[in-house]
Each structure stands twice: as C-alpha cells, then as structure tokens.
C-alpha cells in the first residue's frame, strides 16, 4: 500500500509529496479547491493550507479533510508527474 511519507508546501496551492515507493511529485490542489465544497474552502487561506499533516500515510487538514495517498499517486503517475529517487551504489 502506497503512503505519503513527507510533505513540502510549495508556492500556490501545490505540495511536493514524497511516497513510500521512493517517488515524489508536485500535486496541485487548485482544481480540488475550485470545486467550492465545504471541506476544501479553508484551503484558500494560505496559512491554513500549510497546516497539512500526515496521518497513517494520508494527506490531512485539521477540519477532517483527508486525501487518499493511492489516489494522489495514481493521478500524478497518469500525468507523468512522478519522479523516482536515484539509488546510489
């Protein structure tokens, strides 16, 4: 099962996410925020957006919003936005 193991907030509504399979990618949450649902509206506030945290490998915010790491990983892979860490011999 894929998990997110580290988060780095970037400019705009993007996060650099590091996954348990040694991949990473930049995930843009603007399309999700544009849906204007009750749970995602607080993400418009930059300070709140940066309050993201990991719980059991899922991307979360204090209001209960939780995003599936497997779904994010799949979307990044489909868009060819995943990069894999080079292993040093």
């Amino acid at each position: 099962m894929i998990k997110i193991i580290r988060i780095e907030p970037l400019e705009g509504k993007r996060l650099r996410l590091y996954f348990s399979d040694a991949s990473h990618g930049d995930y843009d949450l603007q399309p999700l925020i544009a849906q204007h649902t009750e749970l995602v509206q607080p993400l418009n506030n930059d300070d709140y957006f940066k309050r993201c945290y990991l719980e059991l490998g899922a991307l979360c915010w204090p209001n209960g919003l939780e995003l599936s790491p497997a779904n994010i990983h799949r979307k990044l892979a489909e868009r060819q936005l995943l990069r894999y860490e080079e292993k040093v011999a």
Side-chain angles (χ1 to χ4, degrees):
M1 179 190 321
I2 197 84
K3 293 181 180 183
I4 300 170
I5 57 172
R6 193 169 95 210
I7 310 166
E8 290 178 13
L10 303 173
E11 293 296 315
K13 301 300 180 192
R14 297 179 311 125
L15 298 171
R16 180 159 294 151
L17 302 174
Y18 293 84
F19 296 93
S20 56
D21 68 346
S23 67
H24 68 275
D26 296 350
Y27 188 58
D28 184 0
L29 281 100
Q30 193 57 52
L32 179 65
I33 295 168
Q35 293 178 11
H36 302 291
T37 65
E38 186 175 332
L39 277 176
V40 299
Q41 282 310 296
L43 301 182
N44 279 311
N45 178 293
D46 289 337
D47 290 331
Y48 189 85
F49 183 82
K50 292 176 184 175
R51 291 179 60 195
C52 58
Y53 64 94
L54 296 175
E55 187 169 302
L56 301 174
L59 181 59
C60 302
W61 278 268
N63 67 347
L65 177 61
E66 181 177 317
L67 302 179
S68 161
N71 191 36
I72 294 171
H73 189 275
R74 179 185 51 79
K75 286 178 182 179
L76 291 173
E78 286 172 354
R79 297 177 187 140
Q80 298 181 347
L81 296 174
L82 279 181
R83 303 292 176 252
Y84 288 85
E85 296 295 322
E86 304 259 342
K87 295 196 178 191
V88 178

